């Protein structure tokens, strides 16, 4: 099973994927986490930090290279959860092509919907306990803007493929999880 999680910053993509990866026994592929892990003193590491710490999207070619390499691993054979990827229509088209070449396709795209006010509130709260360089009010605003301009069109792309299922992300984490399970249940 291959599921894409799309939602603005703070929508709960990571929270839900961490739980679902255990239940479905398929890997959780978070491009945000993979990019954060490449931050170091090398030229590439500094370039990545420059993008993600300011909330701008990393270049498509770099993200595609990281993702396609990850998909080659044996644990991805029976599927995976994509968290925060694809984030541009170009990435979505390249993913479709890549999966097609492998004789694979996406089963479901989850559209996690949360009010903007709640998103900011969640991320400002998280900033108190976690050390993410992009959880500042200025960068959160930039991330939200970029989500609506560059990532929301990805949902339109997938809607035309008929695989999108909207999830009310304003519910409690347990209720959101149950809604995701229901969406997966409709696939059988
Ligand atoms: P990424 O790491 O993907 O960050 P994001 O999209 O901004 O989303 P977050 O991780 O902040 O939020 P989330 O939806 O995972 O929510 P979470 O579960 O943590 O990307 C970071 C950066 O990397 C990007 O800005 C970009 O620069 C770069 N990047 C990544 N992918 C890329 C790509 N494909 N192409 C180019 N660049 C890319 O929850 C948030 C908080 O809310 C937590 O504290 C949680 O406990 C709480 N919470 C969760 N659910 C609920 C709930 N139902 N009710 C109340 N609180 C909740
Ligand atoms: Mg996340």
């Amino acid at each position: 099973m291959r599921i894409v999680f799309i939602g603005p910053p703070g929508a709960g993509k990571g929270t839900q994927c961490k739980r679902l990866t255990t239940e479905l026994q398929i890997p959780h592929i978070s491009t945000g986490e993979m990019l954060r892990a490449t931050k170091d003193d090398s030229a590439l590491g500094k370039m990545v930090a420059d993008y993600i710490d300011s909330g701008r999207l990393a270049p498509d070619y770099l993200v595609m290279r990281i993702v396609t390499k990850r998909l080659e691993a044996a644990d991805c054979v029976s599927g995976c959860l994509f968290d925060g990827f694809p984030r541009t229509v170009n990435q979505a088209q390249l993913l479709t092509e890549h999966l097609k070449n492998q004789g694979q396709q996406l089963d479901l795209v989850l559209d996690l919907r949360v009010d903007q006010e709640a998103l900011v509130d969640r991320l400002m709260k998280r900033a108190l306990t976690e050390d993410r360089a992009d959880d500042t009010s200025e960068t959160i605003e930039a991330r939200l803007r970029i989500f609506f301009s560059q990532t929301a069109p990805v949902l339109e792309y997938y809607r035309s493929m008929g695989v999108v299922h909207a999830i009310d992300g304003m519910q409690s984490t347990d209720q959101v999880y149950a809604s995701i399970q229901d969406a997966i249940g409709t696939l059988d």
Side-chain angles (χ1 to χ4, degrees):
M1 174 142 348
R2 287 173 189 80
I3 306 176
V4 167
F5 282 73
I6 297 183
K13 304 182 293 294
T15 302
Q16 299 300 329
C17 281
K18 277 182 196 123
R19 193 162 164 186
L20 200 58
T21 189
T22 312
E23 184 184 332
L24 297 182
Q25 289 292 298
I26 50 175
H28 170 196
I29 299 184
S30 160
T31 44
E33 275 174 25
M34 290 193 280
L35 288 165
R36 279 188 288 280
T38 65
K39 281 196 331 183
D40 60 20
D41 284 336
S42 68
L44 175 70
K46 282 184 188 157
M47 190 261 272
V48 168
D50 217 39
Y51 280 106
I52 66 178
D53 291 354
S54 62
R56 287 174 303 141
L57 296 185
D60 288 346
Y61 75 87
L62 179 67
V63 174
M64 290 312 299
R65 201 165 69 197
I66 293 174
V67 171
T68 51
K69 185 150 188 287
R70 180 66 186 87
L71 291 177
E72 281 169 17
D75 63 342
C76 293
V77 167
S78 52
C80 65
L81 307 175
F82 293 105
D83 165 358
F85 170 87
R87 240 171 162 103
T88 62
V89 172
N90 185 41
Q91 288 180 15
Q93 287 167 336
L94 290 168
L95 177 65
T96 301
E97 210 173 295
H98 177 84
L99 293 176
K100 201 169 156 200
N101 289 338
Q102 311 290 319
Q104 300 166 347
Q105 61 184 27
L106 292 177
D107 297 286
L108 185 62
V109 173
L110 295 171
D111 169 14
L112 269 183
R113 298 187 177 180
V114 176
D115 296 351
Q116 199 146 325
E117 207 178 307
L119 296 170
V120 175
D121 192 51
R122 288 181 189 181
L123 294 176
M124 291 311 287
K125 270 199 197 117
R126 187 175 67 183
L128 302 174
T129 54
E130 282 179 42
D131 189 25
R132 263 186 59 172
D134 58 350
D135 279 346
T136 65
S137 54
E138 197 181 307
T139 310
I140 290 167
E141 210 178 291
R143 286 156 66 200
L144 283 168
R145 236 186 357 253
I146 287 172
F147 174 81
F148 290 109
S149 62
Q150 301 199 49
T151 307
V154 175
L155 282 168
E156 293 310 314
Y157 170 80
Y158 283 131
R159 262 188 210 113
S160 70
M161 289 167 60
V163 287
V164 178
H165 196 113
I167 300 287
D168 176 6
M170 292 292 288
Q171 308 171 95
S172 71
T173 51
D174 283 350
Q175 286 168 328
V176 173
Y177 191 70
S179 302
I180 291 171
Q181 284 176 312
D182 285 349
I184 293 171
T186 64
L187 298 174
D188 306 325

